[in-house]
């Protein structure tokens, strides 16, 4: 099965953390398939090194951005224009079949059976079930399809400003043509659905195979308390067992030694403190966090990203960096 792969995307160090946990969850459930990560040019070297340990292939791709601020504003997710980059997964033609998974997904058991499905198989979107959610989908790499998708973007754009709008436009008969292309919801259980239909979650949630932390706040935005084995700030509802967020953090903690090794000579606090650690630049338990590494990016690019709403609050755009820049001007 060396010619089949699970594929993800991370354009920055935050999503790279998600990609690390995803890979580890796939491996711990004994996948026999290859793991491939597409990364953006701004992913830092230490993060790349960790990804290279967890993935069979790490490929740097050009960023593509819809620049469609109007549609993205409707979703209140100005950061998602860059998800057009996901479409590059069709260029991985050295694989015969792939399963794409968002970097904010977590695998709970072996899901290699997905490779029995045809292109384009996906689960319904919880917000509009006649659309598929593009956080998990089965596809066939092909340069022709890649080209056709890019043409589609140029001619029709995306109704949500992100890849999901394009893909639903392109594979427009998904809802009606072939029920075998409808993945059961348990292959892409959006954490949102837990709250919107709790009785269904209580009935079927234990069968979940993949949980998708869909939405603005991601697992790495929380703080994890190692000694308490709890995620700070999470409303702990005893009804919501199993606790997926906690599972995500337990896997992230298991990867921490790798991160520590790679970031050892960098002014980067991977976040560990005696009390716990944080998915971001560091938690404030022992004073202000040291400066994160500055990815190499021109100030023009940074300005563009800022204007597109891609603000890396915990990293390069952290207030401490802005303050440092202001100080350098004032001096
Ligand atoms: N992504 C990324 N960088 C970004 C935004 C998104 O690499 O700045 C990738 C990542 O794989 C992510 C996917 O695109 O999981 C879709 O974005 P997200 O999961 O945030 O969307 P949601 O599922 O919350 O709608
Ligand atoms: C969705 C999907 C995500 C996609 C985004 C933008 O909510 O979960 O994978 O990137 O919309 O289209
Ligand atoms: Mn997602």
């Amino acid at each position: 099965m060396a010619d089949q792969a699970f594929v993800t995307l991370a354009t920055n160090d935050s999503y790279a953390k998600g990609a690390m946990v995803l890979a580890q969850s796939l491996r711990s459930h004994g996948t026999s398939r290859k793991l491939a990560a597409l990364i953006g040019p701004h992913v830092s070297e230490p993060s790349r090194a960790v990804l290279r340990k967890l993935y069979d292939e790490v490929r740097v791709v050009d960023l593509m951005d819809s620049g469609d601020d109007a549609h993205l504003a409707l979703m209140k997710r100005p950061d998602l224009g860059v998800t057009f980059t996901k479409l590059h997964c069709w260029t991985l033609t050295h694989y015969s079949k792939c399963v794409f998974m968002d970097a904010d997904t977590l695998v709970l058991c072996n899901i290699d059976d997905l490779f029995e499905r045809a292109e384009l198989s996906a689960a319904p979107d919880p917000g509009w079930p006649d659309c598929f959610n593009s956080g998990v989908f089965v596809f066939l790499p092909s340069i022709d399809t890649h080209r056709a998708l890019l043409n589609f973007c140029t001619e029709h754009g995306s109704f949500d400003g992100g890849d999901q709008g394009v893909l639903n436009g392109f594979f427009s008969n998904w809802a009606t043509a072939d029920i075998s292309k409808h993945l059961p919801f348990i292959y892409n259980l959006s954490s949102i659905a837990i709250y919107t239909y709790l009785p269904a979650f209580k009935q079927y949630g234990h069968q979940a195979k993949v949980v998708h932390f869909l939405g603005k706040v991601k697992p790495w935005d929380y703080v994890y308390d190692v000694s308490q084995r709890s995620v700070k700030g999470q409303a702990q509802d005893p009804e919501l067992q199993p606790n997926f967020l906690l599972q995500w953090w337990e896997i992230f903690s298991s990867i921490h030694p790798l991160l520590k090794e790679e970031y050892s000579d960098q002014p980067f606090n991977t976040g560990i403190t005696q009390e716990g650690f944080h998915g971001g630049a560091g938690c404030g338990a022992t004073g202000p966090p040291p400066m994160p590494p500055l990815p190499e990016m021109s100030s023009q690019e940074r300005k563009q990203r800022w204007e597109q709403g891609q603000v890396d609050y915990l990293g390069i755009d952290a207030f401490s960096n802005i303050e440092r820049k202001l100080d350098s001007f004032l001096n």
Side-chain angles (χ1 to χ4, degrees), residues 10 56 63 76 88 103 119 188 241 260 267 271 273 276 280 303 327:
D56 297 292
L63 294 186
K76 298 194 173 64
H88 288 326
E119 175 173 273
N188 184 354
Q241 293 300 334
K260 234 170 125 180
T273 72
K303 179 167 174 272
D327 285 346

Side-chain angles (χ1 to χ4, degrees), residues 44 68 78 85 99 108 130 184 217 220 240 248 266 269 275 279 291 308 316:
S44 70
D68 185 350
T85 311
V99 173
L108 306 171
D130 283 345
V217 182
W220 49 87
L240 300 184
W248 188 96
Q266 303 250 354
N269 179 1
E275 285 169 46
M291 213 64 81
Q308 285 163 1
I316 194 163

Side-chain angles (χ1 to χ4, degrees), residues 96-164:
S96 62
K97 189 183 277 189
C98 295
V99 173
F100 181 89
M101 303 191 70
D102 268 9
D104 61 343
T105 57
L106 173 69
V107 170
L108 306 171
C109 59
N110 187 293
I111 50 167
D112 287 357
D113 55 302
L114 281 178
F115 289 90
E116 291 160 21
R117 304 269 179 163
E119 175 173 273
L120 183 287
S121 294
D125 184 83
W128 197 271
D130 283 345
C131 288
F132 59 84
N133 180 274
S134 62
V136 177
F137 60 87
V138 183
F139 70 99
L140 300 176
S142 146
I143 294 299
D144 288 344
T145 311
H146 181 246
R147 192 176 308 120
L149 278 164
L150 297 195
N151 284 340
F152 189 91
C153 291
T154 314
E155 283 168 28
H156 306 279
S158 163
F159 71 77
D160 70 1
D163 66 289
Q164 183 163 307

Side-chain angles (χ1 to χ4, degrees), residues 135-197:
V136 177
F137 60 87
V138 183
F139 70 99
L140 300 176
S142 146
I143 294 299
D144 288 344
T145 311
H146 181 246
R147 192 176 308 120
L149 278 164
L150 297 195
N151 284 340
F152 189 91
C153 291
T154 314
E155 283 168 28
H156 306 279
S158 163
F159 71 77
D160 70 1
D163 66 289
Q164 183 163 307
V166 177
L167 291 172
N168 274 275
F170 189 82
F171 296 100
S172 60
N173 65 0
W174 173 84
T176 51
D178 181 355
I179 194 67
S180 73
K181 293 184 180 178
H182 285 228
L183 297 181
F185 197 57
I186 51 171
Y187 284 89
N188 184 354
L189 174 72
S190 306
S191 36
I192 285 170
I194 300 173
Y195 301 97
T196 51
Y197 198 4

Side-chain angles (χ1 to χ4, degrees), residues 76-96:
K76 298 194 173 64
R77 293 294 301 274
D79 50 318
L80 290 189
V82 76
T83 64
F84 267 30
T85 311
K86 210 189 263 189
L87 303 177
H88 288 326
C89 68
W90 265 271
T91 64
L92 297 172
T93 52
H94 49 301
Y95 301 116
S96 62

Side-chain angles (χ1 to χ4, degrees), residues 52 80 89 116 121 123 148 156 207 218 274 302 315 328:
R52 280 195 291 264
L80 290 189
C89 68
E116 291 160 21
S121 294
H156 306 279
Q207 297 171 14
K218 299 300 185 194
Q274 290 214 308
R302 270 177 72 187
S328 76

